[in-house]
Amino acid sequence: MKKFLFLPGGLMIVAGLMWSAFALAWDTTATVLAGGGLLALAVAIAANWQHVRDWFRDPRGIFVINSILTTMLLVAVLGLVNGIASFRAAPDPRGADRPPRGTATAWGGLPAPGAPVPGNDDEPATVSTVADPTTLTRSTRER
Amino acid sequence: MRHILTIARREIESYFVSPIAYSVLTIFTFVSGLFFSNMIVYYIRQAVVADQQLERLGRSEFQLDVPTVVLQQFFQNEAFLLMFALPLLTMGLITDERRKGTLELLLTSPIRATELAVGKFAGAFGFLVVMALPLVPMFYFLAQGGDWEPGVVASGLLGLLLLGAAQIALGLFISSLCENILVSAIGTYGLLITLQFIDTTASATRSMWAEFLAYFSLYMRHVNLTRGLVSADDVVFFLSLVILGLFLTQRTIEAIRFKRT
């Protein structure tokens, strides 16, 4: 029965993580949930200390610990590689309308706003004095 | 390596005797063609309007490079389609073996868990390549219509394959966790949709945690590749997801093997 004490702690930590993901910040609720969960887990471990010790000596426990450690190591290595790749690439905010520095452009880069488009042989755009451009622009948008 | 190739070949062959794979292939190609033709018609109309505006007023509010814009939009739509198509292919990769009882045979054979995971992944990835093949005539059609950028096509296809590979690896991991095909599909949809749109909620705020979450957005990673920008960090990100998915699958298979011995 005492082993079920692990459940509320685990659930509270998961709830805290999910709350922070939805709230997009580690606010008080998320911190209280995660902190409370960790505390509940600590209490559960203390209450089941003999079982926990046996479990760690058990091949299943060794397998789980081994898996957790190797996964953490892999995530750390991947994080490091990604960090290096990001650091070497763009300082620009992601999704900006210009190619980041240090980025290979497969098609020679995006044209700057207002610049002539390659392959378009029309005359450069000038401000018209004949008609009211605002009116036509609005009607074009409506289309 | 021999085991990996055998498993991959067997997986691809099993796709082609399954109605799901044919349905996915048919619907994916049909909807891709529909998107492609609709986008061409739409952007050509826009370009004509822009040209008329330029002719009459001497200025135009927007300038369109139709092939480039069509390609960019097309690859973004394809990414969206893949998100719905690939879980249907990955849902049974390991789950189906469990359901049929053939996983026991695989686990007791001299095949290593890594070989099984990589072989399954390679089979599904091979099918993704088959799915991408019908797109090639569309680019040929686009090339007939005027100036186009082969680099954008190559980058877009690379992006599609990288995104698909990451989605397959994650789907494979979810499949290894589930004993029911439907649960596997729903789990994969949940994970992929979360990763695809995580940036939309994260963009609402500027906190460090929000930026950290946005870092995992598949959409933001893929969008540069649709523009023809092959950035090292995006490629590394997708490859990292593949490696992580395969590693977690390998650990899950080892855990199943461990439980049964």
Side-chain angles (χ1 to χ4, degrees):
Chain A
M1 187 62 196
K2 279 194 293 183
K3 65 182 175 185
F4 291 111
L5 283 173
F6 287 106
L7 277 178
L11 284 175
M12 281 173 79
I13 291 174
V14 172
L17 283 172
M18 286 179 74
W19 182 278
S20 72
F22 283 117
L24 300 168
W26 273 98
D27 56 7
T28 318
T29 317
T31 312
V32 166
L33 276 170
L38 282 173
L39 194 68
L41 272 187
V43 170
I45 288 170
N48 294 282
W49 182 238
Q50 193 56 45
H51 283 103
V52 172
R53 275 181 65 183
D54 292 345
W55 187 77
F56 272 108
R57 288 171 186 163
D58 190 72
R60 285 176 304 166
I62 293 168
F63 178 82
V64 171
I65 297 293
N66 193 12
S67 296
I68 291 172
L69 288 179
T70 47
T71 307
M72 282 170 64
L73 187 67
L74 179 75
V75 169
V77 170
L78 291 178
L80 190 70
V81 172
N82 274 277
I84 292 169
S86 301
F87 182 73
R88 288 181 61 85
D92 298 338
R94 303 203 64 78
D97 275 341
R98 58 204 169 102
R101 269 186 284 149
T103 298
T105 58
W107 52 299
L110 292 162
V117 178
N120 184 353
D121 298 328
D122 292 335
E123 290 293 316
T126 52
V127 178
S128 170
T129 51
V130 181
D132 178 16
T134 328
T135 321
L136 193 66
T137 306
R138 196 179 297 125
S139 67
T140 309
R141 273 182 185 156
E142 281 164 4
R143 263 183 251 171
Chain B
M1 190 66 190
R2 191 167 52 86
H3 289 152
I4 293 175
L5 289 178
T6 309
I7 294 169
R9 201 185 62 226
R10 183 184 153 274
E11 200 58 46
I12 291 182
E13 281 172 5
S14 75
Y15 277 131
F16 286 101
V17 292
S18 140
I20 290 180
Y22 282 109
S23 316
V24 168
L25 197 59
T26 309
I27 293 170
F28 180 78
T29 310
F30 174 76
V31 178
S32 300
L34 196 69
F35 278 157
F36 187 75
S37 57
N38 281 351
M39 273 184 294
I40 285 197
V41 170
Y42 175 77
Y43 283 112
I44 284 178
R45 278 185 188 160
Q46 293 287 313
V48 168
V49 169
D51 280 351
Q52 284 173 349
Q53 213 175 29
L54 200 68
E55 203 175 287
R56 287 177 193 168
L57 303 174
R59 63 168 290 194
S60 170
E61 197 177 61
F62 56 93
Q63 293 174 317
L64 274 180
D65 180 9
V66 174
T68 307
V69 176
V70 167
L71 284 172
Q72 187 180 331
Q73 291 290 319
F74 177 70
F75 282 120
Q76 285 180 18
N77 286 345
E78 289 303 289
F80 195 69
L81 277 183
L82 277 188
M83 190 179 69
F84 287 101
L86 288 179
L88 295 175
L89 298 175
T90 59
M91 65 182 183
L93 282 175
I94 308 278
T95 314
D96 223 21
E97 302 279 0
R98 276 187 177 186
R99 195 171 56 88
K100 291 176 185 164
T102 45
L103 191 62
E104 303 284 347
L105 290 173
L106 282 170
L107 294 180
T108 48
S109 65
I111 297 171
R112 285 182 296 167
T114 314
E115 291 173 330
L116 182 58
V118 176
K120 291 277 181 186
F121 170 80
F125 187 74
F127 191 80
L128 173 67
V129 174
V130 173
M131 277 170 72
L133 284 179
L135 306 182
V136 175
M138 297 181 197
F139 307 131
Y140 179 74
F141 172 77
L142 197 65
Q144 303 300 305
D147 291 336
W148 70 307
E149 300 288 345
V152 180
V153 174
S155 161
L157 280 174
L158 175 74
L160 218 54
L161 293 177
L162 283 171
L163 178 75
Q167 291 177 339
I168 287 170
L170 294 173
L172 179 65
F173 168 56
I174 300 285
S175 170
S176 70
L177 291 176
C178 304
E179 292 191 13
N180 185 303
I181 280 189
L182 207 59
V183 176
S184 168
I186 291 169
T188 311
Y189 277 128
L191 180 65
L192 294 187
I193 289 172
T194 306
L195 284 177
Q196 187 79 17
F197 297 114
I198 203 164
D199 66 291
T200 51
T201 47
S203 62
T205 176
R206 273 276 166 205
S207 73
M208 207 170 144
W209 182 241
E211 281 178 19
F212 176 74
L213 290 177
Y215 188 83
F216 295 96
S217 163
L218 292 179
Y219 171 78
M220 292 301 283
R221 293 293 178 164
H222 180 244
V223 78
N224 273 347
L225 288 158
T226 64
R227 290 173 180 165
L229 307 175
V230 184
S231 180
D233 58 339
D234 297 329
V235 176
V236 166
F237 173 77
F238 284 122
L239 292 179
S240 301
L241 279 186
V242 172
I243 292 168
L244 187 66
L246 288 178
F247 177 78
L248 292 175
T249 309
Q250 185 262 350
R251 293 313 297 171
T252 316
I253 294 169
E254 285 287 9
I256 298 169
R257 178 179 274 167
F258 189 79
K259 265 188 206 167
R260 300 190 180 185
T261 50

